[in-house]
Each structure stands twice: as C-alpha cells, then as structure tokens.
Amino acid sequence: MKDYFIRRLLLVPVTMLGVTFLVFLITRAAPGGPLEKAMMEAQMASDGGGSGGGRQQAGGLDEETIEANEEEFGYDKPVGIAYLQWLGLWQRERAISKSEFYERGEDSLGSDLIRDPENETLVVLKGGVGREVFVRKDGNTATKAFYVDAPKESLSGNGWKVRIESPRDRKLRWVRREGKKIDKAPDYKPRAVIYQAKLSGVLQGDFGQSKQFGDPVLSLIGDRIPIALYFGILTTIITYSVCLPLGILKAIKHRTFLDNATSILIFVGYSVPGFALGALMVVYLAARAGWFPMFGLDSPELADLDWWTWERIVDRAHHTVLPLICYVVGSFAFLTMMMKNSLMDNLASDYVRTAVAKGVNYRRAVFKHAFRNSIIPVASTLGQLITVLVGGSILIESVFDIQGFGLLQYQALLGRDTPVIMGTLTIAAFLLVVGNILSDFIVAMIDPRVKFN
C-alpha cells in the first residue's frame, strides 16, 4: 500500500502541470485578456478626452504602455517560455528600462556624454532607481555600460543586465502583436534595454499581482480563506450531523411515512438552486420583513469591534443565517441517500441476519455490525473536506455580497484577471488532488479489505 500512495503523490506534480498548462493556454487564447482590456479602456478614454503623445497603437495606447503590459503578463514571449516564467523555472525580466539610439538636442540632459548617437545612448533605470546608465553598442552587442554618476560602480553587480534590440527584433515583436506582415511595421531605431532577471513565479510563492484589484494574488486569496473556512466548516458540521442520523433512520423505517416525507423534503431542497432561494429570502425575509440583514457578514457600526466580543458574535450569526441555509439546503440529499442505501445493503447481508439469528438484538446488529461497514462509502468523501479552504458558491456569495473565495473567482473571470484566475485555480486543483489521495487513505485505514497493490 505504501508503494501505491508514493506513486499517487508522485503523480500530483504531473497532474498539476497538466491542469495549469491547459488553463494557461486557454487564458492566452481567449479573447478579452488583460492586454485587450487595457486597450479598450484606453480607447474609451481617448474617445472621450483626446489622445496623448507618443506612437499610438490599436486601442489608443502608446507603444511603450502596450509593451509594458505584454512584459507584465508574458505576452512578449512564446507561450512555453511564458508558462515557465509563471511557474518560476525561467527568469522573468523586471524593471525593464529602454532607450533608443538617436540624435539628441544640445539642451537634452546628458547630451554632452553622447559622442556617437547611433551607437551611444542614456537609459534611466526604472523600478524606483532613477539613475542614468550610459550604454555603447557595436552592432547588436552592448560593449560598455556604466552608471553616469558612478562609472566605477558595477552595473552587473547590482543585478542589471543589458541587451540591444535591433530594428528587426522590434518589427518581429510588432508582427506578433498586430498579426500583420513585417513590411507594414513602422520604422524602428535600435534601442538599449536594461533589466533585472530573476526567478519569480509559483515555485517562489509569487502568483503575480491582480490587474483588477491591484494587490498580490496570494494576499487576495488569504483574505478570502477565513470566510471560505467559516462557511465550509459550518456547512460540513450541519450536513454530517443531519445526514448520517437521517440516513440511518430512513434505512430502518424504509417505506414508511417518515421515509417518504423526508425523501420529499431533501429532494425538494436538492432541486432548489441555492442562489434562487437566497434571492427569495433576501426579498421577503430581509428587505420586506426586516428579520435579517440583506448583505455582508458584519454590520458597519460593529466592524471595528474584536471578533470575540458578544455583540460581534451575535451580529455575525445574524448575518450568517440566510447564506448558510442556501449552502446546506442542497447538500442533504446525496449524503443522506448514500448512508441509507449503504446501510440497507448491509442490513440485508448474511452476516447481519446470522448475528440476529444467534440472538444479537436488532439495535446492536445495526450499530455494531452493519453501521461500521455502511460508513465506508461515506468515509470516501471525507478527503474532499480539505477543499473547504477554497470552497464557496459564486452565485450565493454574489447574492449576499459576501467577499468569499467564490466571488473572487467570479470577479476575476469577469475582469479577465489572469493572475487571479491562475492563482485560484492552482490552489483549488492542488487541494482537490490531495483530497482524492486522502480519501483513498481514509478508506484503506477503516476498511481492512481494501488493499492498494
């Protein structure tokens, strides 16, 4: 069995690579990505207030801004390299600073240092540095680069690298972006590019920064996990506390009025969408009757209180009632019927009939013998409880305006926020894979008949 679980664990990285690469491809190919969204917003702004200076491209953005967006999301690289950069296996270029080789005016800053404008230029470093660097090239190779204010200070020692982009390199990049022939490309000048290269991806704990919210992806996810845990744990406790006893009772009282009535109730609950029930309760129980708050998890006037104060606990419970009903109403049917059917199968088994024939009372036969074997199918679902970390219903959280994990995914999809989409999917997929392995492990522990050989 140990070998089986070792193989399963070794398959986790392979599965994660397959899932994340597939979604990465979809986000790259799907229309309406972050670059297209930025162009559309710039086009709307330019239509309303006129366009600014600089070489304008499609969507009203100047070329420098377009290139900055491409470099931020990896669109300037082939999809394979961009994926490796996202993983953290390929160095990502940061603080990219550029300057063309051109004739400067006499009054231009640093013009006294430029003797050969076609092969010399000055680059102002970005990333909060602001220092000027003198760059000299020979063909497409940088032969000299140093700080203007400190020529003896090592540029590479501070992590900076220099490369030269030829006019053809820039035209090929324009072709990839615009999808047109190279002879339609603008006339470009060669330019010096200075950047810092470092591994910065998932393996280094960097999921990127949200374009929509402006915060690191891990910070956004971390803020939502407590809410997901809150509703996930409450839903799990209520569901198992109700479904297991109810399933046992239905198996014992099979085909009685109690069995039929409870079946009708749980299947009606299963058939009603949680978000639809939530909308009805918000209208009738919150807006009209005023019995419950309409939105959120906390009242604004109590938000500054510590969470363990009695007023805050009561207020949180008051806000929790309606969304919690929506979460649990559809979760009773599956687990209840699984418990009932499994117990009925075991009650009809020979070993139970033999135990009763030997004088074991019915209650002991049910709970001592049949129940222990009937709980095995239910135990196979326990491993999936780990996914409560990233649980949540997109629609229920939208109805009640709860800032949970599901609403974050929904907002990221609407806003084409690729870093958030990839980050939430990666964590959710990892927990799902680990949950499947935990389910197998739990079954193997409680059922000695199961042998993973």
Side-chain angles (χ1 to χ4, degrees), residues 113-131:
L113 297 175
I114 306 298
R115 298 286 182 262
D116 183 5
E118 293 185 356
N119 295 297
E120 297 175 350
T121 189
L122 294 176
V123 182
V124 179
L125 298 181
K126 295 184 178 180
V129 179
R131 300 174 68 180

Side-chain angles (χ1 to χ4, degrees), residues 242-260 262-263 266 335-348 362 366-367 370-371 374:
V242 172
C243 292
L244 297 185
L246 183 59
I248 296 171
L249 184 62
K250 286 172 66 64
I252 297 174
K253 303 291 185 180
H254 182 53
R255 290 185 178 177
T256 63
F257 172 78
L258 179 64
D259 180 34
N260 295 331
T262 53
S263 294
I266 62 175
L335 199 58
T336 301
M337 297 309 296
M338 178 188 289
M339 185 71 243
K340 175 192 174 182
N341 294 334
S342 179
L343 183 57
M344 287 181 63
D345 289 342
N346 282 283
L347 287 175
Y362 188 69
V366 171
F367 291 100
F371 178 74
S374 302

Side-chain angles (χ1 to χ4, degrees), residues 221-222 224-230 232-233 384-392 404-406 427-428 430-431:
I221 295 174
R224 266 66 173 187
I225 284 181
I227 297 176
L229 277 174
Y230 176 69
I233 292 173
Q384 298 303 321
L385 294 182
I386 193 174
T387 58
V388 301
L389 286 169
V390 291
F405 200 85
I427 294 176
F430 176 75
L431 292 178

